[in-house]
Amino acid sequence: MTTFPLDFSADYFALFGLARAQGIDAAALETRFRDIQAQVHPDKHAQGSEANQRLAMQWATRVNEAYQTLKSPLARARYLLQLQGHDAQVESNTSMPMEFLVAQMELREAVAEARVGADDTALDGLRRTLVSEMKGEYQRLQELIDTRQDFPVAAELVRQLMFQEKLLHEIDDALEAVLA
Amino acid sequence: MALLQIAEPGESAAPHEHRLAVGIDLGTTNSLVATVRSGMSVVLNDERGRPLLPSIVRYAAGGEIEVGYVAQSHQASDPRNTVVSAKRFMGRGRKDIAHVEMLPYDFIDAEGMVKLKTAQGIKSPVEVSAEVLKVLRHRAEASLGGELTGVVITVPAYFDDAQRQATKDAARLAGLNLLRLLNEPTAAAIAYGLDNGAEGVYAVFDLGGGTFDVSILRLSKGVFEVMATGGDSALGGDDFDHRVFCWIIEQAGLAPLSPHDVRLLQVRAREAKEYLSQHDEAPITVKLGSGEYVDVTLTTDIFTEITRTLVQKTLVPTRKALRDAGLAAEDIKGVVMVGGSTRMPQIQHAVGEFFRQEPLNNLDPDKVVALGAAIQANLLAGNRSAGDDWLLLDVIPLSLGLETMGGLVEKVIPRNSTIPIARAQEFTTYKDGQTALAVHVVQGERELVSDCRSLARFELRGIPPMVAGAARIRVSFQVDADGLLSVTAREQTTGHEARIEVKPSYGLSDDEIAAMLKDSFSHASDDAFRRALREAQVEAQRLIEAVASALKDDAELLSAEERSYIDNAIVRLQAAVMGDDRRAIDQAMDALSKGTNEFAARRMNKNVSKALAGKKIDQIGLDA
């Protein structure tokens, strides 16, 4: 009987042998992910008993979920905050600084306008600005969590970044519609 | 010598025994079977040396079942009983099949999937496909000299749950031990990856007769990871033939044609297209049934011109897949070409230009899928040797979600998630005392249920009566390594559970999938508008329910005049909800809210006094 030498109750960081931090070694995460999947994936147990195949599926599912969570900086931050007992309250807490909301609304209008006008240059410009802005914010998020351990402020930044990720997606959709 | 060997599961009884395993490309037009022999993947030919088996089954009146070339030869003389392209009907309802009225079959619209009336009774597409699989099984067993341990069957990457399930059923019906359903582009990449020892990110560009599929895969250290997949299931070589066909008619100035002449010109159009893959110009001379002569010459330049938009159309899903993978064209190390239509120089050129490199063509584009499937089957059957071990991480092609209030889709698992995967979502009850919850599982990218494909419906019953919003119902999705879904729903406070293996409620045509993918971005703003409308409608319905429930309990708190004002406002709101004017709904809601403010205040007072009435004075602190 094949065994799975892993602890199902371990948190995602422990699963991949990583320290609990927002700043992670992406290459190490990927290598560990592949190593673990190479052991637990159902394809590796195709000739095993039915119980074993089921177990393999459960493990592979958990490892996929863990990898997806840690790979994305936003999902990783939410998960970290949750582990720290500071839920980011993404569904319930919708309060944002007025300044941020106004800026977001203006950006959204600009995207809608560029989309209607089929202006892919404008969309590209908006995208670049947003991406560079978010890059700085992700750095600040890492500092807030890892260095200053200011979880309430980090939670607020997570909520803002979720807004911005959504906007980024809208810009990509608009670009695609314009280019098609 | 041991008479009986007991092997641990996962280990073979005799280490040197080679298990017979094959890969099957179950195609719309043709099917193939391949195996790994002395470390090489090879296609198994029939007794006459032909690699392809036309995916055609004839149920003859005499009782015999013919498959392949024999059946094909009767296609014209016995069209009703000769089933062509059964793959298009797998997991599909009658209304989902494109041009169903043009097909010569006697369709019966059965629950979940169409069936066909033949001389040998009613047959489902699953049974038809199983006949094709049986012939391939016999071919493999005769060729390999033993019974098969297991098979891998390929499916288009965009195949949804219903179509995958139907394919799995066909394998079971053919007596095959299905080791895995494998996506066609992934199979092609496996064939290339192992033959060429590739490392890096690859694109698989698969243009068949009627469909287009593109996948982005990363190959590294023995792991094949599908990063994104996309396509257009209404774009293929047939569309190029059609452009040529239209060009001929225009050039020759032909009047409306007889069906026979239409078929004749279609065939000539395809021949001319294929001829141009090797030559600079193709002469087209035809004598039509009408007595007219057609004598035109199609040059490469003209062909390039009239098919330019089609070629461009393949690049749209390609860009989208790259974006989903978070990559640019420069990041792609190699482009694997699959499907006969990729032989067109125009496609080769466009792909080369887009990715800024020569596409890979060293494997036969018609065989590459079966070759890759055989390699995967060999591995899964346990015939692995040192250094010949890899892992395949595939993705789900279309998002899975649930219907929520107002016909909106709540996405539970987004497309391109690595499988196997599980996700759970919590829902609550909408009405006081609600004891059942209908769960409707859908697949697709759009925001409205009506624009997605319905996979299954089931009901969670026996929820203990609670006030609206108090129950916590957790709906869990699990997608296995074949890309097949199962769903469970569980009421958290009582542990009451309902479980379902998703069986399709009806099918969806390839056109619809293509349209679904396309519409998900071109209608995004339209969706947003409709979403806002639906939300307003749900909100309004909620208000009506709340007021109705309050009226039932405390109608005596209102004067006749007040009551009639509220009744009026309810009727007006109900009327507004039926329409699609969001402002009208908002206004009617405002009117009803205002009309019930005073009523709500009186109810509050009444309830407070009721609560106080049951208590002694000292309990509420008035005895000081």
Side-chain angles (χ1 to χ4, degrees), chain A residues 1 34 43-44 64 176, chain B residues 8 180 220 320 323 420:
Chain A
M1 172 97 189
R34 285 150 183 267
D43 281 359
K44 299 290 174 184
N64 276 335
E176 202 163 342
Chain B
E8 291 283 278
R180 186 72 73 235
S220 91
K320 191 182 172 77
R323 193 192 99 192

Side-chain angles (χ1 to χ4, degrees), chain A residues 4 14 18 28 40 63 65 92 111 122 134 157 160 169:
Chain A
F4 297 91
L18 297 167
V40 304
V63 173
E65 178 66 29
S92 52
V111 171
M134 286 168 66
L157 190 53
Q160 287 190 20
H169 202 79

Side-chain angles (χ1 to χ4, degrees), chain A residues 1 30 33-34 37-38 41-44 46-49 57 60-61 64-65 67-68 115 169 172-173 176-177 180, chain B residues 8-10 19 180 218 220 223 225 320 323 376 380-381 389-393 418-423 478 480 521:
Chain A
M1 172 97 189
E30 202 181 302
F33 166 68
R34 285 150 183 267
Q37 277 296 17
H41 195 276
D43 281 359
K44 299 290 174 184
Q47 298 297 311
S49 67
M57 186 179 77
T61 300
N64 276 335
E65 178 66 29
Y67 178 61
Q68 292 305 326
R115 183 182 176 132
H169 202 79
D172 283 338
D173 279 347
E176 202 163 342
Chain B
E8 291 283 278
R19 292 178 172 146
R180 186 72 73 235
R218 182 165 52 186
S220 91
V223 177
E225 188 184 352
K320 191 182 172 77
R323 193 192 99 192
Q376 183 69 5
L380 293 181
D389 199 7
W390 73 93
L391 178 66
L392 174 60
L393 299 173
T418 307
I419 51 175
I421 190 166
R423 280 285 161 80
Q478 170 80 60
D480 68 14
F521 52 87

Side-chain angles (χ1 to χ4, degrees), chain B residues 28-54:
Chain B
T28 308
T29 322
N30 293 299
S31 297
L32 295 95
V33 58
T35 195
V36 174
R37 205 183 250 160
S38 320
M40 279 284 291
S41 187
V42 289
V43 168
L44 300 175
N45 295 341
D46 68 7
E47 69 284 357
R48 291 172 59 182
R50 297 173 297 198
L52 301 180
L53 175 71

